[in-house]
Amino acid sequence: MRLALTLGLIWGAAAAPLRPPCVPLNVASPYQSTWSCSDNLSDSFPVHWAGATMGLTSMVSVGSDVYRLMGPDPSSVPAATQTSVVVDATTTTYAFSAGPATVTLEFMTPSIDLDDDSAAYNSWPASYLTYTADSDDVRVYFDTPAQPVVADDSAAVTADRSLSTAAITVLRSGAAEQNLVSGTDDRISWGYQHVSFPAGADLETALASADGARGAFAAGESLPADDDESLFPRPCNEDWPVLAGSFALSPGEPAFLALTLDQGVSMDYYGTQLKPYWTTNYGDAGALIEAVHGGYEEVVAKTKAFDAKLRDRLSAVGGSKYADLLSLVYRQVTGALEKTVSLFGEADEPWVFMKEISSDGDVSTVDVIYPAVPMFYWLYPETFRRTMVPIFNYANNATQGGDDYDYGRQFAPHHLGVWPVCEMLERQQEDMPVEESGNMLILLAAVAQRQGGTKSEVAWLEPFFGFLKQWADYNVASLPDPGDQLCTDDFEGPSPHNINLAAKGIVSLGAYAKLLAMRGGEQDLEDAKTYMGIASDLVGNWTADGFIDGDHSKLQYNLDSSTWSLKYNILFDSVLDLGLFDFDTIIDADLAFYATNENKYGVPLDSRATFTKADWEFWVGAMDRSEDKAVFQMFVDTLWDFANETTDRVPLTDWLDTVTPTMAGFQARPVMGGLYARMMFEDAW
Ligand SMILES: *[C@@H]1O[C@H](CO)[C@@H](O)[C@H](O)[C@H]1NC(C)=O
Ligand SMILES: *[C@@H]1O[C@H](CO)[C@@H](O)[C@H](O)[C@H]1NC(C)=O
Ligand SMILES: *[C@@H]1O[C@H](CO)[C@@H](O)[C@H](O)[C@H]1NC(C)=O
Ligand SMILES: *[C@@H]1O[C@H](CO)[C@@H](O)[C@H](O)[C@H]1NC(C)=O
């Protein structure tokens, strides 16, 4: 411990700033997800995670001079000089020199304390922008077009001020035709966005064209005084009607505005529309916005404390680069979630859905929640448990969607639909039998262990123990060689007789045994022994046929020892303390072997190609039990360099080349929760 702390300090002192490929700005959910993907906030417009332009614009005036902070428009206005950008878990802080003034702009989303149902802010679909300046005579300008609430820039939109109160000026915009949950585009085409400002004598707001509002501020004039009602309804891209505001800053005094999204309905679950969880606390968007404004000081204090503690904890374990990377991906992970009321109504516990994000936009894909689990295991196990509840209801024919949706497979489902619509028929499932059954068993055991590991932590599984056995038995029958099955790394093409998949199957039997032991009945305890025995026999087969020359494990049983792959699936043997695989020989040899295959940006996923998966690298690195953690640190350093240098300016990719700083595919995915793997062995938050 002393050594780690000392190293943390040394690394901290040497820290050079990370240049993130994209910087999170307003990242609260898959729809409310705006990023800046250039070095300076003013170099380009922010984008939705998938790349569509969100023309948000901000400027400041200092005396009679005007400077751009965010976005390239108006081009006649010079950019302030950006002096730094720091990305913490919940907060991104930009600093600028705007002529003689120093101005800071913070973007904060209060997505912390996710397991605490009394912390209402954890489900606010809201972010704050906080401005400060160190000198007199500074005014801020901010606007947003309706792009964040249309899937197509030519959609007709409206805007109004109907939610304003004496204390808060609220501007909102949305599609003129509100068709809830219409379509599965990555951008939302319904609901309303709000820009809200604490009312003040010097506040000016306008519903006006972008040129009208920005031009007025740039010219040192007041914003257009009368809302231009003739603008609405009209296409979002016809003169770009914006919600605009401008206010003065007092030196040293932060001033904020809030961005909220009221999407009305979060998910369609087999025909039932599930509302956002925040609706259980607030009757409508007006009440939500009041809470967001009233809670500002409290949540700023909480998020700042969280961000700082997170950085400290992470630096002590893995150095400042580890803290940089894990802070950078925090909102990427939480921003892929949607917390809703359950199918069974408001009185029931909340449900949580996770979007796969860039890879097809699937809902609650089991082999996407699996790689994300480390961050949740360490910080939010209950939230993670809730991501599994909608999947179990589907597997249990309990969707209330009718017989069409009956699920009769002997193994676990793959996913529920395409965001935000859960409507998968059994025959549409992308079957990955050992993969998904193994994932579910491992995840369930991990969460139950983290939550206490007794009978009460598995009580919620009582209706489902029937399939847990079925899934475990399916895996027993498929091992030691899973044959021609698809596994999660299918983007690399099929890999039959896959040894890493076999490892997952084996660990999943140990996990099942753990669940039985927690359940604790006489028969359960007996069965637990049986499944542990099977698992440990299978490790014998695995080792004999997969790890033949004592140097490293192979890629597939049917290939020779020139092949290899990252055996990330063994990690949970250690997390669950199953004692199945021999870490002293197998794991230590594999880790040493990986180090001999290091490229500039990491170690390939396997011997077939130079690309890798960042999440799996960090899973593997978490198995490094050596004193100096050199293999773990290799993964941290190479991914940090990749993030700093990649020419693909997208929210951090998890599928990247290890030789050139380019992505292979996938962006902004929650699987980056896997970077927290090492933290599963540390003290709880
Ligand atoms: C960012 O802004 C600085 C000046 O503020 C400028 O020197 C630099 O070229 C800009 N970066 C890019 C990529 O435009
Ligand atoms: C769900 O329905 C399918 C098809 O009717 C059936 O095969 C399966 O056993 C059912 N599952 C449960 C848990 O009842
Ligand atoms: C697995 O190992 C056992 C001995 O431990 C052996 O009897 C069995 O044939 C092996 N199975 C396969 C498929 O190699
Ligand atoms: C980050 O990348 C830039 C070039 O893109 C480079 O100049 C800088 O040295 C890198 N930082 C570190 C610490 O390697």
Side-chain angles (χ1 to χ4, degrees):
M1 195 47 161
R2 178 182 297 272
L3 177 72
L5 280 172
T6 313
L7 288 174
L9 288 177
I10 294 166
W11 284 320
L18 172 67
R19 186 249 27 198
C22 289
V23 172
L25 302 180
N26 172 15
V27 180
S29 72
Y31 289 128
Q32 190 176 2
S33 182
T34 309
W35 302 71
S36 169
C37 299
S38 46
D39 292 355
N40 300 309
L41 185 61
S42 61
D43 289 341
S44 62
F45 279 124
V47 295
H48 183 248
W49 66 257
T53 296
M54 303 282 115
L56 280 68
T57 294
S58 186
M59 296 180 267
V60 285
S61 61
V62 182
S64 58
D65 296 323
V66 182
Y67 302 88
R68 277 183 293 117
L69 302 183
M70 175 160 58
D73 196 43
S75 57
S76 59
V77 173
T81 301
Q82 183 176 309
T83 51
S84 66
V85 54
V86 176
V87 181
D88 284 310
T90 67
T91 303
T92 295
T93 307
Y94 286 97
F96 304 92
S97 298
T102 295
V103 176
T104 63
L105 169 52
E106 278 182 10
F107 295 82
M108 184 270 271
T109 307
S111 46
I112 56 169
D113 302 332
L114 301 191
D115 281 1
D116 181 354
D117 287 333
S118 71
Y121 48 82
N122 71 28
S123 56
W124 287 350
S127 297
Y128 302 94
L129 277 66
T130 300
Y131 294 84
T132 50
D134 67 345
S135 58
D136 282 322
D137 209 9
V138 176
R139 273 191 88 80
V140 163
Y141 172 89
F142 172 87
D143 80 48
T144 178
Q147 284 165 311
V149 275
V150 292
D152 173 348
D153 286 351
S154 65
V157 298
T158 59
D160 62 52
R161 301 165 173 272
S162 60
L163 298 180
S164 294
T165 64
I168 306 173
T169 299
V170 182
L171 310 182
R172 72 168 189 172
S173 60
E177 263 187 67
Q178 288 283 317
N179 297 314
L180 296 180
V181 201
S182 46
T184 54
D185 198 279
D186 284 326
R187 291 165 68 186
I188 196 168
S189 56
W190 65 91
Y192 294 93
Q193 67 167 344
H194 315 93
V195 182
S196 53
F197 306 88
D202 55 44
L203 174 68
E204 295 172 13
T205 56
L207 309 176
S209 70
D211 281 354
R214 294 170 193 172
F217 187 81
E221 296 162 4
S222 298
L223 300 190
D226 295 321
D227 293 344
D228 185 351
E229 285 176 11
S230 71
L231 281 174
F232 307 108
R234 72 191 294 153
C236 166
N237 60 6
E238 197 177 309
D239 291 338
W240 299 103
V242 294
L243 311 177
S246 161
F247 50 89
L249 293 179
S250 303
E253 278 184 34
F256 75 92
L257 61 89
L259 303 178
T260 46
L261 175 69
D262 173 12
Q263 60 180 87
V265 170
S266 287
M267 305 294 300
D268 184 314
Y269 187 75
Y270 299 91
T272 304
Q273 294 194 334
L274 304 182
K275 291 193 165 202
Y277 191 70
W278 65 260
T279 60
T280 63
N281 289 312
Y282 313 106
D284 57 25
L288 167 71
I289 292 166
E290 267 180 49
V292 168
H293 278 245
Y296 174 78
E297 283 183 13
E298 181 198 352
V299 298
V300 167
K302 282 185 193 287
T303 54
K304 282 210 190 304
F306 177 86
D307 289 351
K309 180 175 167 188
L310 188 76
R311 228 171 230 287
D312 281 353
R313 293 284 312 266
L314 299 174
S315 298
V317 169
S320 68
K321 290 185 172 180
Y322 191 55
D324 287 345
L325 287 169
L326 273 63
S327 296
L328 175 62
V329 301
Y330 183 89
R331 274 171 283 171
Q332 179 162 328
V333 180
T334 57
L337 303 177
E338 182 72 17
K339 185 177 180 185
T340 73
V341 300
S342 96
L343 179 65
F344 310 110
E346 284 186 21
D348 201 43
E349 64 182 15
W351 279 12
V352 179
F353 293 84
M354 183 187 283
K355 181 166 174 165
E356 191 165 326
I357 302 284
S358 71
S359 40
D360 300 338
D362 291 348
V363 184
S364 300
T365 308
V366 175
D367 59 293
V368 168
I369 65 176
Y370 175 72
V373 71
M375 183 172 131
F376 294 94
Y377 182 96
W378 188 46
L379 295 173
Y380 306 125
E382 177 62 6
T383 295
F384 194 81
R385 190 187 67 75
R386 289 168 175 171
T387 66
M388 292 190 278
V389 175
I391 300 169
F392 270 113
N393 273 273
Y394 169 68
N396 199 27
N397 298 344
T399 63
Q400 300 184 3
D403 296 347
D404 288 352
Y405 297 113
D406 280 355
Y407 183 82
R409 296 274 204 265
Q410 295 300 299
F411 45 82
H414 178 268
H415 70 289
L416 298 178
V418 180
W419 197 272
V421 183
C422 303
E423 58 175 3
M424 290 294 287
L425 299 172
E426 182 189 301
R427 64 181 151 76
Q428 295 169 326
Q429 286 286 335
E430 192 180 325
D431 293 339
M432 293 186 182
V434 170
E435 171 77 47
E436 307 303 18
S437 302
N439 290 341
M440 287 300 274
L441 292 167
I442 292 167
L443 295 175
L444 291 169
V447 169
Q449 167 177 290
R450 185 59 162 190
Q451 296 192 313
T454 71
K455 193 174 166 66
S456 61
E457 279 74 41
V458 294
W460 75 281
L461 288 171
E462 238 6 90
F464 312 122
F465 261 100
F467 349 110
L468 299 189
K469 176 170 169 46
Q470 190 180 304
W471 297 348
D473 288 342
Y474 186 93
N475 281 1
V476 170
S478 308
L479 293 169
D481 181 347
D484 205 7
Q485 293 202 15
L486 213 51
C487 73
T488 186
D489 301 320
D490 57 345
F491 50 80
E492 229 186 305
S495 178
H497 315 290
N498 188 286
I499 293 175
N500 188 43
L501 181 62
K504 174 172 304 182
I506 295 168
V507 172
S508 77
L509 301 178
Y512 177 57
K514 275 250 149 164
L515 289 166
L516 290 170
M518 290 179 215
R519 193 184 193 203
E522 212 169 298
Q523 186 62 45
D524 298 320
L525 295 177
E526 199 133 304
D527 290 348
K529 269 193 211 137
T530 307
Y531 285 92
M532 272 311 278
I534 298 171
S536 114
D537 288 349
L538 287 165
V539 170
N541 297 104
W542 191 97
T543 308
D545 297 336
F547 184 77
I548 42 184
D549 55 10
D551 179 47
H552 67 274
S553 58
K554 302 188 298 181
L555 171 61
Q556 297 173 198
Y557 285 125
N558 61 329
L559 297 178
D560 65 29
S561 63
S562 68
T563 66
W564 54 276
S565 65
L566 299 183
K567 297 297 182 308
Y568 55 83
N569 278 327
I570 297 175
L571 174 62
F572 273 86
D573 185 3
S574 170
V575 176
L576 294 170
D577 205 13
L578 300 174
L580 288 168
F581 287 85
D582 181 351
F583 273 55
D584 290 339
T585 54
I586 296 169
I587 301 303
D588 290 353
D590 266 346
L591 289 178
F593 181 81
Y594 299 147
T596 67
N597 284 282
E598 178 184 359
N599 290 331
K600 187 151 190 257
Y601 300 110
V603 175
L605 178 59
D606 63 43
S607 45
R608 288 178 292 174
T610 60
F611 51 64
T612 196
K613 289 277 284 130
D615 44 348
W616 300 143
E617 286 190 312
F618 279 59
W619 277 50
V620 166
M623 289 190 274
D624 182 353
R625 299 165 307 147
S626 67
E627 197 67 28
D628 65 1
K629 304 272 185 292
V631 173
F632 164 73
Q633 205 60 50
M634 165 186 71
F635 288 123
V636 173
D637 292 346
T638 52
L639 186 66
W640 194 96
D641 285 346
F642 177 87
N644 184 52
E645 293 167 33
T646 179
T647 48
D648 289 308
R649 305 299 294 265
V650 298
L652 194 57
T653 181
D654 51 292
W655 183 22
L656 54 121
D657 190 28
T658 58
V659 176
T660 62
T662 54
M663 69 190 285
F666 304 160
Q667 64 200 57
R669 300 203 314 159
V671 300
M672 293 306 244
L675 270 50
Y676 283 76
R678 178 91 183 72
M679 301 312 290
M680 293 193 291
F681 299 98
E682 298 294 323
D683 292 342
W685 184 254

